[in-house]
Amino acid sequence: MSGGYPPLTTHRRLQHGAVLRPGASAPYRAVEAGAGEPHLIRAELGGTGPGGAEPAREAGRALLCLAHITDLQLADVQSPARFEFLNAYFLDPRYAEIVPVQRPQEALTWHAVDATIRTLDAVHGPATGLALQLAVTTGDAIDNAQWNELRAFIALFDGGVVSPDSGGPDFEGVQSPDWPGDIFWRPDGPGPDGPDFFAREFGFPYYPGLLQRAMREFSAAGLRVPWLSCFGNHEALNQGIGVQGPGLAAALTGGTKPIGLLAGFNHDAALELFTTHPEAFMAGPSRHVTPDPSRRPITRRDFVDAHLRAGSRPFGHGFGERNRLDGTAYYVYDTPAVRFITLDTNCLAGGAAGCLDRQQARWLEARLGEVHSAYRGPDGTEVRTGREDRLVILLSHHGIDTLTNTRGAHAGPAGEPLLGAPELLALLHRFPNVVLWLNGHTHTNAVRPRPDPADPARGFWEVTTCAVVDWPCQTRVVELIDRDDYLAIVTTMVDHDTPLAPAALESADDLAALHRELAANIPWNVEAMAGAASDRNLELRVLPPFPLKRLPGA
């Protein structure tokens, strides 16, 4: 701890360190702390002052300090309807949009998220010195659209008893010592056929008894600040891809778990089957597991209902009674300076990519108009409203580049075609108070200016934050500051404040630290997920869309 607050990535940046164990393909490395990473200035959308330097921290008037959390993918790792055996096809391009279905660290994600929440509760924004006022999540909080996953997610964030375990008293997931195949990391030690793929090729360690410790029920304190929720594709679909039909519902609560594909399976049709009829992957060889009714699939209405509970702050975590009645998952949430607009970008016809229907687009246009004194109409003429201006931050799971899903292209409420990404951008650029869009889905840090073609010096910033489930296992603090000549959006990556190396693996912090270490050693390009320096600690400048002195300070 430094100055009573958790260290931020401005103080230190975690990276791969010394080799701990050799592997046939690559070594297993420690996580070590390197030099901190200063804020870079990006002024592609206007703003005065030199670029590339650390901004002056004392200048300006703070408007807001929030945390952005995304892609936790809290998983029931013993679910009968997770098809982890497909990881064996990781070199087959026909499965590129399906795998990975299982991660070595995923049984520990509950503890990594708990450590993240405890860290955020103590964080102060480095540019303003403010404690967090709000946390926003942007979807894929859970992994397989199951009720028990959703219930535990709410307990983690609101505070309560978290139960990662499911099924019977013994661990019945693919990481158990006697599970067939060698594609899964077995923390208890070599299986009947010797070391598993991860231990053999990448030097993964053994921790006998780890799974039993990871599955223990524990109490979470929850976030101390209000938090907003968002509906992602892993809340909507099996493994974030497959449509939830009656066959899958029966499989989820049943007692049979597949361990392979049916003989003669058509691999060329794998993605289409996974998307439209995921229960087809239940037809091959299987083994018995303990049934559990709490694994039932959830609907969008179930997701909303779970948030509409007494004691939630704010009530419903953004969702309201209108969402329950309409079966929708989009809403607005207002602070004195900012209107947050949360979109539902999921395509219930299947597929991981996002979409937006025209009914929601019309709703979005109306909500934007409510916080603009003036904006451009569809024909380019100025529309004056007489309303008070407020900054706008969009929240959604998918970003503009992943709104590419065309399934059910005419399946909107009125049979209308879906809104394409260019149309959505054109709509947003008509409303100059939109300054920021926060999203996830790609598990990768990325920051992109979205300039207005009519005035390239103006526009908004799209900020995509990496996943908690995957390396670098971070969240992002976002501060809004009025610096007179421009609006500064300061973003800072945050690691959970746990030991760099796990010790006895009895404490929650040790389990979270091991989660991060395992994630750092996954055999794919994890460094790409961290993004470049220009995607992490930044001061993003925007020309003020209206005199910011009208807004109340934080």
Side-chain angles (χ1 to χ4, degrees):
M1 303 285 282
S2 175
Y5 307 130
L8 301 176
T9 55
T10 48
H11 305 146
R12 66 174 195 188
R13 182 163 182 259
L14 302 188
Q15 57 196 20
H16 290 93
V19 172
L20 298 179
R21 279 168 298 279
S25 298
Y28 184 93
R29 295 182 177 273
V31 173
E32 294 181 356
E37 193 166 66
H39 291 96
L40 301 179
I41 294 174
R42 293 188 59 178
E44 294 99 311
L45 297 178
T48 59
E54 180 83 5
R57 298 190 179 193
E58 68 279 358
R61 185 173 63 102
L63 301 175
L64 187 66
C65 180
L66 63 91
H68 180 208
I69 312 164
T70 194
D71 293 271
L72 318 175
Q73 288 192 216
L74 294 160
D76 174 4
V77 296
Q78 301 169 87
S79 171
R82 293 182 78 224
F83 312 125
E84 300 99 332
F85 60 86
L86 294 177
N87 276 12
Y89 299 94
F90 71 97
L91 293 177
D92 189 330
R94 294 171 293 185
Y95 289 85
E97 295 184 48
I98 298 175
V99 299
V101 185
Q102 193 271 345
R103 296 163 168 83
Q105 73 271 20
E106 64 186 19
L108 303 171
T109 306
W110 307 93
H111 300 279
V113 172
D114 182 49
T116 294
I117 289 171
R118 288 185 279 111
T119 298
L120 291 174
D121 277 335
V123 157
H124 284 59
T128 62
L130 291 176
L132 292 183
Q133 299 161 297
L134 181 70
V136 300
T137 68
T138 52
D140 284 8
I142 60 177
D143 185 70
N144 203 38
Q146 295 180 201
W147 171 248
N148 59 332
E149 294 175 339
L150 175 58
R151 181 179 58 192
F153 157 61
I154 298 289
L156 269 172
F157 273 66
D158 271 354
V161 176
V162 180
S163 301
D165 201 5
S166 68
D170 297 324
F171 188 83
E172 298 176 321
V174 298
Q175 290 181 284
S176 59
D178 62 343
W179 202 268
D182 73 344
I183 196 62
F184 314 111
W185 176 55
R186 291 190 172 96
D188 281 298
D193 301 320
D196 61 78
F197 173 76
F198 287 89
R200 184 177 66 247
E201 297 296 322
F202 302 98
F204 272 54
Y206 294 128
Y207 291 106
L210 174 67
L211 295 171
Q212 286 69 32
R213 288 192 286 274
M215 292 295 102
R216 288 175 187 162
E217 193 172 84
F218 66 94
S219 295
L223 271 169
R224 296 176 188 163
V225 298
W227 60 275
L228 304 180
S229 196
C230 182
F231 192 58
N233 57 292
H234 277 263
E235 280 87 27
L237 304 165
N238 175 259
Q239 293 290 271
I241 299 174
V243 174
Q244 303 235 39
L248 187 70
L252 276 168
T253 57
T256 299
K257 183 170 176 64
I259 58 175
L261 293 172
L262 192 68
F265 183 84
N266 181 4
H267 296 286
D268 292 331
L271 180 59
E272 182 63 21
L273 276 174
F274 202 97
T275 303
T276 58
H277 293 91
E279 64 275 11
F281 290 83
M282 301 287 300
S286 63
R287 59 186 289 173
H288 175 76
V289 295
T290 305
D292 188 336
S294 74
R295 291 171 173 151
R296 66 174 175 83
I298 60 169
T299 64
R300 182 162 51 194
R301 185 173 270 108
D302 291 332
F303 186 78
V304 169
D305 281 346
H307 291 76
L308 295 170
R309 55 195 294 270
S312 56
R313 288 192 311 136
F315 178 70
H317 298 295
F319 299 116
E321 289 296 336
R322 176 54 58 186
N323 295 118
R324 195 206 306 260
L325 292 172
D326 294 346
T328 59
Y330 45 87
Y331 61 85
V332 299
Y333 176 79
D334 289 320
T335 70
V338 175
R339 164 161 283 191
F340 290 88
I341 302 182
T342 296
L343 302 177
D344 174 6
T345 56
N346 300 289
C347 182
L348 299 187
C355 65
L356 198 77
D357 64 60
R358 291 183 183 272
Q359 176 175 293
Q360 188 174 171
R362 287 189 288 270
W363 172 91
L364 169 63
E365 183 174 8
R367 303 293 80 75
L368 288 169
E370 291 168 352
V371 288
H372 280 76
S373 61
Y375 60 89
R376 292 200 308 268
D379 61 357
T381 59
E382 184 180 54
V383 178
R384 291 198 167 272
T385 69
R387 295 173 173 143
E388 292 187 0
D389 285 299
R390 190 174 295 179
L391 297 174
V392 176
I393 297 177
L394 292 181
L395 307 174
S396 68
H397 184 61
H398 301 86
I400 199 70
D401 293 332
T402 53
L403 289 176
T404 57
N405 199 325
T406 58
R407 289 182 178 273
H410 295 273
E416 300 169 291
L418 298 171
L419 196 75
E423 289 180 272
L424 178 57
L425 269 179
L427 168 62
L428 295 175
H429 282 140
R430 289 171 41 212
F431 294 88
N433 296 356
V434 177
V435 293
L436 181 63
W437 184 353
L438 298 174
N439 53 58
H441 185 62
T442 64
H443 293 213
T444 300
N445 286 320
V447 176
R448 304 174 185 87
R450 299 297 184 184
D452 181 355
D455 184 358
R458 296 184 180 274
F460 64 89
W461 289 95
E462 183 178 357
V463 174
T464 303
T465 297
C466 63
V468 176
V469 68
D470 284 322
W471 177 263
C473 310
Q474 294 173 328
T475 51
R476 193 188 297 260
V477 168
V478 179
E479 302 166 273
L480 270 59
I481 307 169
D482 173 10
R483 297 202 196 274
D484 294 330
D485 293 332
Y486 59 90
L487 172 69
I489 303 170
V490 179
T491 76
T492 310
M493 304 310 302
V494 182
D495 298 302
H496 53 72
D497 190 22
T498 57
L500 297 186
L505 292 179
E506 286 295 336
S507 75
D509 279 357
D510 281 334
L511 294 174
L514 179 59
H515 174 276
R516 181 169 56 202
E517 183 180 281
L518 294 170
N521 284 280
I522 292 295
W524 54 75
N525 188 10
V526 295
E527 280 303 327
M529 296 179 179
S534 57
D535 300 308
R536 296 190 292 258
N537 295 347
L538 305 168
E539 181 177 291
L540 307 172
R541 296 182 174 179
V542 185
L543 291 174
F546 58 87
L548 297 179
K549 62 184 179 182
R550 299 179 191 167
L551 298 175

